[in-house]
């Protein structure tokens, strides 16, 4: 999504929905992964630096769109992104089954450092509640920011 958003801005097309998905998903996923990282393998210094840099940059694109480009989420964006996020769960389940993967930790919780183990077997419901709280905070933050953009 990050690449499509940046490409759309380079081409000067208006892609508000992509921005909104990045605005809600980016900080939520990046902060969770930075707070409780799950490493699939033992890595080198480069592996860890790459993980933290890439997840930190996930935060930068929505911030860039918000602070520099002056984009703001629409009022109905919270519900739209939250609903679409739920529609993705069965899609990722099927992808996980086909690839033997565990994207979005739908198939099983990570073996180490997962806060989701506290809420088992209601993990997905609790994560949905947590996502709604974070999305609501981001929506309120987006509405409270002045609608200005930095000039170049």
């Amino acid at each position: 999504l990050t690449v499509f958003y940046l490409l759309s801005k380079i081409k000067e097309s208006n892609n508000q929905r992509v921005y909104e998905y990045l605005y809600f998903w980016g900080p939520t996923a990046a902060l969770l992964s930075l707070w409780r990282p799950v490493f699939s393998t033992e890595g080198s210094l480069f592996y860890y630096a790459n993980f933290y840099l890439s997840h930190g940059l996930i935060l930068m694109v929505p911030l860039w769109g918000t602070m520099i480009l002056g984009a703001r989420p629409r009022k109905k964006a919270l519900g739209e992104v939250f609903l679409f996020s739920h529609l993705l769960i069965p899609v990722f389940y099927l992808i996980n089954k086909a690839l033997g993967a565990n994207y979005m930790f739908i198939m099983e919780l990570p073996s180490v450092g997962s806060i989701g183990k506290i809420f088992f077997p209601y993990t997905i419901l609790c994560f949905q509640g947590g996502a709604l709280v974070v999305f609501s905070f981001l929506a309120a933050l987006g509405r409270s920011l002045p609608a200005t953009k930095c000039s170049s």
Side-chain angles (χ1 to χ4, degrees), residues 17-142:
R17 280 204 169 98
V18 173
Y19 162 77
E20 291 166 351
Y21 283 90
L22 289 171
Y23 180 81
F24 288 108
W25 285 347
T28 306
L31 290 174
L32 183 61
S33 67
L34 291 170
W35 178 48
R36 302 295 285 182
V38 176
F39 299 111
S40 56
T41 61
E42 287 295 322
S44 63
L45 177 61
F46 176 77
Y47 176 80
Y48 294 119
N50 181 49
F51 175 85
Y52 285 107
L53 181 64
S54 62
H55 285 81
L57 288 174
I58 291 172
L59 289 169
M60 296 307 296
V61 173
L63 282 174
W64 182 270
T66 303
M67 303 309 248
I68 304 301
L69 300 176
R72 300 291 183 267
R74 295 170 296 139
K75 288 184 181 187
K76 65 179 185 173
L78 168 66
E80 188 177 298
V81 173
F82 190 70
L83 177 64
F84 186 73
S85 299
H86 285 77
L87 297 175
L88 284 179
I89 292 173
V91 172
F92 275 100
Y93 176 81
L94 294 173
I95 291 171
N96 286 338
K97 280 294 231 188
L99 299 177
N102 193 22
Y103 298 113
M104 294 176 65
F105 299 117
I106 293 172
M107 307 308 277
E108 63 182 273
L109 293 173
S111 58
V112 293
S114 175
I115 194 169
K117 291 180 180 181
I118 297 169
F119 305 114
F120 187 81
Y122 307 105
T123 305
I124 290 180
L125 292 174
C126 291
F127 283 168
Q128 290 170 337
L132 184 59
V133 168
V134 174
F135 283 11
S136 297
F137 170 77
L138 289 169
L141 180 65

